[in-house]
Amino acid sequence: MINNYDTQIKVSLEKFEKLLRGQLERVEKINSAGEAVDFKNLDNIVIGTCGGDGIGPIITEAAENVLKYLLAGDKKITFKTIEGLTIENRAAQNKAIPDDVMDELRKCNVILKGPTTTPRAGDPWPNIESANVAMRKNLDLFANVRPVKVPEKNIDWTFFRENTEGSYAVGSQGMHVTDDLAMDFCVTTTEGTNRIARLAFEYAKNNNKDRVTVVTKANVVKTTDGKFLSICEEMAKEYPDIKTDEWFIDIMTAKLIDEKRRTDFKVFILPNLYGDILTDEAAEFQGGVGTAGAANIGKKYAMFEAIHGSAPRMIETGRGKYADPCSMFRSAVLLLSHIGYQTEADKLEKALDICTITEKKYVITGRDTGATCEQFAEYVMETIRNIL
């Protein structure tokens, strides 16, 4: 018996046409965007803070306190607390980011954001899009930049993950064609790839990094990954002093744990999904995802966040106060650097190295066997005071 799928195909095509038109409109917006704002030259910089869910408010407050300590008395800086980026409020309004919250975010120049909960099947929440993905798309934060450094292992990696396209571009808009067939979509655009590649190569050039590695699965995902790779290869010709090579994502995950090869890598350029996976693996060398921060960079806005989740079980078991704030502190380092406060960024980074590697007066364990988040934050600020 041959099934007649004409109705299902017609409905699916209508949905697909809507997706295509939306993505073509987005391409036009990217192409018409003006020059990037130089955050370092702004007369007033508004730093918005969003606590998020689970342990988010705890570790975000700790990072905000450290920032306020480092920037005390600076009249150029204004802090703005943004409420409402909680799973309860987002679910009640059935939006990844409620309109009033997005309006407040747009009033900031940079944002320090705690982890947020993304509903999944079986959760008591509607199937709303990730707040992270929504913020990146709405503020056009096209570059996710994640550094990983482990000096004793000679690891110094910087990952440039494309942030608004790939498999996450329309991640909540896939379709169930029939009960037996579901489809999602992957998006690659010329300008979207150009801008992440340009940022990575410029970073390499300006920071004396002599190697850029492009990571895809272009041998199998030939259209979208193939386009991403070919654009990066073409741009590499503009940087002849930088060695550019390509790796497939599967073997790249293996080479990160290859002691003989991993120290050769310097700067990576990756599509969205691969960048998400590989940076979590890389963070394990530094002590886990709880120790790593990330910058989300756009032409007008920038957002800085922990790369881990909201850890609801820590809250459920009463361990929230023992949450490790290092991910948010590392994000604060990136924030300070981005807005032109490199001296303060260097102080915080050095203090974190002392507190987590060399001295370790207080240790975070996530339980009552270690320091609380508040105690560790005080330890970091005390260490900053002692840095000449």
Side-chain angles (χ1 to χ4, degrees), residues 213-234:
T213 301
V214 185
V215 182
T216 68
K217 191 61 178 169
N219 59 328
V220 176
V221 188
K222 295 181 183 295
T223 303
T224 48
D225 279 21
K227 182 179 182 68
F228 189 95
L229 176 59
S230 65
I231 290 172
C232 290
E233 288 176 331
E234 189 64 27

Side-chain angles (χ1 to χ4, degrees), residues 23-274:
Q23 288 303 304
L24 289 170
E25 289 173 5
R26 188 179 68 84
V27 170
E28 290 177 4
K29 288 181 181 178
I30 294 174
N31 289 333
S32 63
E35 293 298 316
V37 172
D38 187 345
F39 291 81
K40 298 173 185 178
N41 292 331
L42 295 177
D43 293 329
N44 182 56
I45 297 174
V46 180
I47 301 175
T49 58
C50 302
D53 300 308
I55 63 171
I58 298 168
I59 61 176
T60 304
E61 182 181 10
E64 181 181 2
N65 288 339
V66 171
L67 282 174
K68 286 180 175 177
Y69 174 76
L70 282 162
L71 299 170
D74 193 314
K75 295 181 180 179
K76 184 178 178 179
I77 302 295
T78 302
F79 284 88
K80 179 182 181 66
T81 301
I82 300 173
E83 306 288 350
L85 199 67
T86 62
I87 184 59
E88 291 81 9
N89 188 43
R90 290 182 282 132
Q93 299 195 40
N94 200 28
K95 285 197 170 185
I97 300 178
D99 293 342
D100 58 333
V101 177
M102 184 57 68
D103 289 342
E104 292 301 302
L105 290 170
R106 292 185 185 279
K107 295 175 184 177
C108 304
N109 303 106
V110 294
I111 299 151
L112 183 70
K113 188 192 78 64
T116 49
T117 296
T118 300
R120 59 184 180 181
D123 286 349
W125 312 110
N127 184 30
I128 53 177
E129 184 180 41
S130 158
N132 279 2
V133 173
M135 192 180 298
R136 291 165 184 164
K137 288 197 291 190
N138 277 275
L139 300 180
D140 200 22
L141 307 175
F142 65 86
N144 185 268
V145 185
R146 296 182 177 181
V148 172
K149 294 182 181 180
V150 189
E152 64 271 23
K153 295 183 179 180
N154 200 26
I155 290 173
D156 186 358
W157 300 324
T158 306
F159 296 85
F160 285 79
R161 166 193 169 194
E162 201 293 316
N163 223 11
T164 59
E165 299 187 353
S167 300
Y168 292 2
V170 286
S172 62
Q173 299 176 63
M175 59 186 70
H176 290 274
V177 181
T178 69
D179 289 341
D180 298 317
L181 175 63
M183 295 190 72
D184 277 310
F185 305 98
C186 186
V187 176
T188 298
T189 70
T190 298
E191 183 53 37
T193 306
N194 267 328
R195 61 187 184 177
I196 187 68
R198 177 73 67 192
L199 195 67
F201 277 106
E202 283 294 304
Y203 172 85
K205 182 182 75 173
N206 295 331
N207 290 273
N208 299 314
K209 306 291 185 181
D210 59 3
R211 181 173 180 174
V212 170
T213 301
V214 185
V215 182
T216 68
K217 191 61 178 169
N219 59 328
V220 176
V221 188
K222 295 181 183 295
T223 303
T224 48
D225 279 21
K227 182 179 182 68
F228 189 95
L229 176 59
S230 65
I231 290 172
C232 290
E233 288 176 331
E234 189 64 27
M235 185 165 292
K237 296 175 184 177
E238 300 180 34
Y239 300 86
D241 294 333
I242 297 174
K243 177 183 178 181
T244 304
D245 58 353
E246 61 179 86
W247 289 77
F248 297 134
I249 180 60
D250 44 359
I251 192 63
M252 188 74 255
T253 60
K255 289 305 169 186
L256 279 197
I257 61 173
D258 183 343
E259 294 183 1
K260 295 179 181 178
R261 300 296 299 274
R262 66 189 183 201
T263 57
D264 294 337
F265 299 109
K266 305 291 177 60
V267 176
F268 299 82
I269 311 174
L270 315 91
N272 207 332
L273 174 60
Y274 308 145

